[in-house]
Amino acid sequence: MSTDKQERTGVWLVGARGSVATTTVVGALAIGAGLADAAGMVTALEPFAAAGLPETGGLVFGGHDIAEVSWGEKAEALAEAGVLPGRLVQAVAGDLKDAEGDLRLAPASGHSGRDAERIAADLAAFVERHGLDRTVVVHVASTEPAAALDPAHQDADALAARLAAGEPVLPPSSLYAWAAMAAGCSYVDFTPSTGARLPALAQLAERQQVPFAGRDGKTGETLVKSVLAPMFAFRNLKVGSWSSVNLLGGGDGATLAEPGANAAKTASKTEVLRSILGYLPEGQVRIGEVTDLGDAKTAWDLVTFTGFLGARMRVDFTWSGIDSALAAPLVLDLARLTARAHQAGRVGALEELAFFFKDPHGGPAHDLPSQWQRLCAFATELAPAA
């Protein structure tokens, strides 16, 4: 497929006024204006140069949120907290204010079918307003507890009937996935929420001929696990225990203080070790809120393992990072790759994007080197025909 004409690509952020979304938009505006480089963006690397991805600075942003703080106010707060450079926030303030016109209050009528229709209508209006060729809906809202299973989750027609009756049969992340697909948009879940991980939504994606990707962006401690765990496996070193303590503040810290959301996040982080090692070592993943950390997060991991002739050994590491600064470039990567995949005719789960997620669709290999090779091969497949 030729891409002589650069398509216009929209990115609709669910949780648009949060730290990750705001950092994403400020970053894209700054890159587009030549005020910042693309450090942290995987798609800025050479393997993706010929993949035909939309330009970062040309992405058009909109979104839904339950909050009403402006992007400008949120960006200033992030600058004061040391998350964003103040000079960049000031430099893009005008463009950020202009983009504010594409933010909408998340519908909450209590009737799931009408809310889905409203979301889809907002997306359609966004597409028409900006003359967009593709739009990617990216879920960066708060983590939800695991969804209760329902028979309607198995069949798109049954689910449509329940939604039309107004029944609360879907968690918010999945309702957004349904509405996005119904509007002809692709969908990415950057959180461990249920999102598109339901058979009925996979069926809808096939009908609507749209791709989707997820779940739970791999930004920090789990990223390190996906590099270290293969080392133990390849060296035939038996891991006896792997214990992790994660401390964070901000909105994520408050959300993950809730037991249901905490359990969903913990399950997502645990799957990496089980997949790579082939077993789950002793130890727990613990997540705690420390409000004074703000948008920063710190993780401490202790690994005990057994080597030759039963020698007992250990390794520990500390990871400290700024969550939004780690997540935002990956959101931009995923938006660019998913939009290009949609343009290239890909439908359904984009398993090739497992590199970006803790709990990716399709259950592919979780070790980072294998995921990287598959991602690079995918970039080659996406390259437009000469």
Side-chain angles (χ1 to χ4, degrees), residues 128-150:
E128 182 177 358
R129 190 160 53 248
H130 294 284
L132 302 174
D133 297 285
R134 312 278 168 194
T135 296
V136 185
V137 176
V138 185
H139 190 275
V140 287
S142 299
T143 297
E144 304 164 352
L149 297 179
D150 189 287

Side-chain angles (χ1 to χ4, degrees), residues 80-355:
E80 290 176 4
V83 177
L84 290 173
R87 62 176 182 82
L88 287 185
V89 172
Q90 294 175 4
V92 302
D95 291 333
L96 202 58
K97 184 176 181 180
D98 291 340
E100 182 81 18
D102 285 303
L103 295 186
R104 298 291 181 268
L105 196 63
S109 70
H111 188 292
S112 56
R114 284 198 290 269
D115 286 346
E117 290 174 356
R118 167 72 182 281
I119 294 166
D122 285 345
L123 286 167
F126 177 61
V127 168
E128 182 177 358
R129 190 160 53 248
H130 294 284
L132 302 174
D133 297 285
R134 312 278 168 194
T135 296
V136 185
V137 176
V138 185
H139 190 275
V140 287
S142 299
T143 297
E144 304 164 352
L149 297 179
D150 189 287
H153 294 166
Q154 302 298 313
D155 180 77
D157 292 328
L159 184 54
R162 298 280 295 278
L163 290 172
E167 297 182 34
V169 68
L170 288 178
S173 62
S174 299
L175 190 67
Y176 269 98
W178 175 275
M181 294 174 184
C185 302
S186 51
Y187 177 84
V188 175
D189 197 344
F190 201 75
T191 80
S193 301
T194 304
R197 188 162 291 191
L198 297 173
L201 287 166
Q203 293 169 21
L204 182 63
E206 290 289 336
R207 291 181 186 179
Q208 296 294 100
Q209 294 292 286
V210 296
F212 59 89
R215 331 180 277 188
D216 200 4
K218 187 160 55 185
T219 59
E221 180 227 14
T222 308
L223 178 65
V224 180
K225 282 183 176 178
S226 69
V227 176
L228 281 183
M231 176 190 72
F232 292 108
F234 297 158
R235 280 294 310 275
N236 193 24
L237 298 170
K238 176 71 174 181
V239 177
S241 68
W242 197 312
S243 302
S244 307
V245 177
N246 297 258
L247 304 175
L248 68 163
D252 275 353
T255 297
L256 294 175
E258 193 278 318
N262 191 297
K265 186 73 171 181
T266 299
S268 176
K269 292 172 76 68
T270 300
E271 184 57 33
V272 173
L273 291 181
R274 188 195 308 273
S275 173
I276 295 174
L277 298 175
Y279 57 92
L280 191 61
E282 181 186 355
Q284 294 181 321
V285 176
R286 297 177 181 174
I287 303 173
E289 180 187 15
V290 179
T291 56
D292 193 53
L293 285 175
D295 199 57
K297 62 180 180 182
T298 294
W300 176 69
D301 281 43
L302 172 64
V303 186
T304 61
F305 61 99
T306 304
F308 193 53
L309 303 181
R312 300 295 302 275
M313 293 168 273
R314 56 179 277 176
V315 63
D316 64 274
F317 67 87
T318 301
W319 171 277
S320 296
I322 303 296
D323 193 46
S324 299
L326 291 165
L330 302 189
V331 171
L332 293 171
D333 286 330
L334 287 162
R336 300 178 75 204
L337 287 162
T338 305
R340 175 68 186 115
H342 192 187
Q343 182 188 21
R346 285 295 305 268
V347 174
L350 297 176
E351 297 180 10
E352 297 89 343
L353 300 186
F355 178 86

Side-chain angles (χ1 to χ4, degrees), residues 31 37-45 325-333 355-356:
I31 291 170
D37 62 25
M41 285 185 63
V42 175
T43 51
L45 297 173
L326 291 165
L330 302 189
V331 171
L332 293 171
D333 286 330
F355 178 86
F356 296 98

